[in-house]
Amino acid sequence: SPFYSAFGDSLYASDLIVQSIRCKANEFKKLDPRHIRTTNGIQTVVSDSDVARLLKRPNEYMTTADFLEKITILLELNKNAYIYPAYYKSIDGTKRYIALYPLKPSSVDYLVDESGKYFLKLRFASGYETTLPREDIIHWRKDYGVNDYFGGGAYGGNDDAGLMKTIAEYDRLCQSIAKAIACSCQVNGIVRYNSYMSDDKLDAERATFNQRLVNNEGGVLFTDLKTEYTPIERDVKLVDAETLKFFHETILRANGTSLAILNGDYTKAQKEAYYEHALEADIKSLGQAMSMTFFSERESAFGNEIVLYPNDIAFMSMENKISALQTGLPAGIFTRNEARALLGYPPIEGGDDMPRGYNNVDNSTGNNDNSMDENEEGNADEEQ
């Protein structure tokens, strides 16, 4: 049985890693997970199933946003995220799901019995251990390929040796900057003694000068004809912008975050690139991992699946939103409430009807209903 023990929070000690993971977690919090059923090519949203209810409120401790944020952070740190869908079996043997719980085990074993059935043995930091059937655990993996069972490196987990080396170099750079700033604030000049001094007297003068520095008295100096004071010009050269940019981009590249996304000053094209490069594949894999656990082969054959819609991830500027509405409303793509939501307005009563064109967007005069009645009466007369 493969052993997995690469869980850890070492990467989370880096401020850049924390910020980049937060960017991704914040986008995942905006996802809208739905239970979808596809029948004869027609997709419908299932709202009355156990699964649908869990997607709206995973458990008694978390909102959907909390749940998505937590599992995203666990995935980024460990390349593996484990979710337990708690359930009970009804009289007819059907699973009735009641909660979704993210798990944070310290180690995991994949076990196989003589019949070929897979199990997961999970150990937690408290010392508790449990073994559960593989099909009862949602296992969300990233960078899955080298290991047969887990995401990450050859032995599972976050294969972060190269990244940790870069982070260590960046940390040393930051420490050297701090030391350079401290030194530049302490040393103001050079005192030269224009006479021969014994070693003991020189040591005494040096000790006095050092003590003044320690006591923050470096700016006060008494001189006489035997001493010469040369001030040091303050022109501290710390590190150039290109070097900092190199370290930032190298570290952020680990999870596909750009400096523009991190700083929040991205363009529409940069946001779309971030979605396609760093978010889209993981969003799709999470939906498939949840569908694999929630639905049996028979239920999947009837078109049941979990889809996480990114409709709340904002890609467009206000100008682009208005342009999209000018095209989408007449074409019947948006309802009036969807159009209002896109612009940041609350829904209105009766705004969920799908307009069929410009004349049907605002039907307050009732002209469309009258014309429809006349057409229907005319057709009826012709048939008679």
Side-chain angles (χ1 to χ4, degrees):
S1 60
F3 182 69
Y4 179 70
S5 60
F7 284 84
D9 297 335
S10 58
L11 283 176
Y12 224 50
S14 168
D15 60 329
L16 279 176
I17 295 296
V18 171
Q19 294 168 27
S20 63
I21 292 178
R22 184 184 299 124
C23 288
K24 185 169 184 178
N26 285 341
E27 298 301 332
F28 265 77
K29 290 169 67 174
K30 303 174 186 177
L31 295 174
D32 184 16
R34 296 292 184 93
H35 176 188
I36 301 297
R37 182 177 296 133
T38 305
T39 306
N40 296 327
I42 300 175
Q43 284 190 342
T44 57
V45 178
V46 181
S47 59
D48 59 350
S49 66
D50 295 341
V51 174
R53 287 191 290 271
L54 288 186
L55 295 177
K56 292 300 181 183
R57 186 172 182 178
N59 57 61
E60 63 271 32
Y61 308 109
M62 300 178 183
T63 63
T64 301
D66 295 334
F67 173 79
L68 292 173
E69 180 179 29
K70 187 173 184 65
I71 62 175
T72 302
I73 291 175
L74 291 175
L75 180 75
E76 291 300 309
L77 289 177
N78 306 315
K79 303 298 184 183
N80 296 268
Y82 300 92
I83 307 162
Y84 176 65
Y87 67 90
Y88 68 91
K89 287 190 176 182
S90 59
I91 298 176
D92 60 357
T94 304
K95 288 183 178 179
R96 304 304 302 268
Y97 292 100
I98 56 177
L100 276 174
Y101 296 106
L103 305 178
K104 190 182 176 183
S106 57
S107 65
V108 180
D109 289 335
Y110 254 96
L111 307 176
V112 186
D113 65 8
E114 294 179 354
S115 65
K117 185 176 180 179
Y118 284 86
F119 296 84
L120 282 174
K121 185 175 183 179
L122 302 101
R123 300 179 182 86
F124 297 88
S126 64
Y128 175 73
E129 296 184 5
T130 186
T131 301
L132 298 171
R134 167 64 182 86
E135 62 268 19
D136 285 353
I137 299 290
I138 298 172
H139 185 185
W140 186 23
R141 295 175 282 206
K142 183 177 180 179
D143 296 341
Y144 175 59
V146 178
N147 189 280
D148 292 336
Y149 300 90
F150 302 99
Y155 299 101
N158 201 342
D159 191 12
D160 55 8
L163 179 59
M164 288 299 297
K165 182 178 179 181
T166 304
I167 291 175
E169 295 291 342
Y170 176 69
D171 181 63
R172 280 192 286 271
L173 177 67
C174 292
Q175 291 183 37
S176 66
I177 293 174
K179 290 180 180 179
I181 294 175
C183 290
S184 68
C185 295
Q186 290 179 355
V187 180
N188 298 320
I190 300 173
V191 179
R192 177 180 297 172
Y193 292 88
N194 298 318
S195 64
Y196 291 102
M197 303 175 65
S198 64
D199 292 340
D200 294 340
K201 189 174 182 181
L202 184 62
D203 291 340
E205 291 288 346
R206 185 185 300 111
T208 301
F209 186 71
N210 289 340
Q211 188 60 43
R212 286 179 174 175
L213 289 177
V214 171
N215 296 335
N216 201 23
E217 299 175 356
V220 180
L221 182 67
F222 295 96
T223 62
D224 55 19
L225 294 177
K226 295 186 296 181
T227 60
E228 179 181 340
Y229 176 73
T230 304
I232 295 178
E233 297 293 335
R234 294 185 180 276
D235 186 19
V236 182
K237 301 295 185 182
L238 299 177
V239 61
D240 60 281
E242 289 299 320
T243 301
L244 281 177
K245 184 178 179 182
F246 166 77
F247 276 103
H248 289 167
E249 290 182 345
T250 302
I251 294 172
L252 294 175
R253 196 182 301 125
N255 68 350
T257 305
S258 64
L259 281 174
I261 295 296
L262 191 71
N263 295 329
D265 56 357
Y266 49 82
T267 63
K268 175 178 177 290
Q270 289 171 328
K271 184 60 176 289
E272 290 177 345
Y274 176 61
Y275 172 78
E276 294 178 2
H277 177 59
L279 303 178
E280 188 174 20
D282 289 337
I283 291 172
K284 186 174 182 179
S285 68
L286 175 58
Q288 291 177 348
M290 296 177 78
S291 299
M292 186 176 180
T293 300
F294 275 129
F295 305 118
S296 63
E297 291 186 11
R298 178 178 173 80
E299 290 171 325
S300 298
F302 279 96
N304 291 281
E305 61 178 330
I306 304 297
V307 179
L308 294 94
Y309 291 97
N311 53 295
D312 287 337
I313 298 179
F315 298 102
M316 297 184 290
S317 63
M318 183 58 67
E319 181 181 355
N320 292 327
K321 290 178 181 179
I322 294 174
S323 177
L325 291 177
Q326 289 174 341
T327 304
L329 277 172
I333 298 175
F334 300 107
T335 65
R336 276 173 285 179
N337 279 342
E338 287 173 339
R340 292 175 64 85
L342 191 62
L343 297 176
Y345 293 102
I348 58 175
E349 186 177 355
D352 292 324
D353 296 332
M354 183 65 71
R356 293 189 293 273
Y358 278 113
N359 293 331
N360 216 30
V361 173
D362 185 3
N363 198 23
S364 57
T365 61
N367 292 332
N368 293 329
D369 293 338
N370 293 335
S371 61
M372 182 66 70
D373 294 340
E374 293 174 359
N375 291 334
E376 290 177 354
E377 292 176 0
N379 293 335
D381 293 338
E382 290 176 1
E383 291 176 0
Q384 291 176 357

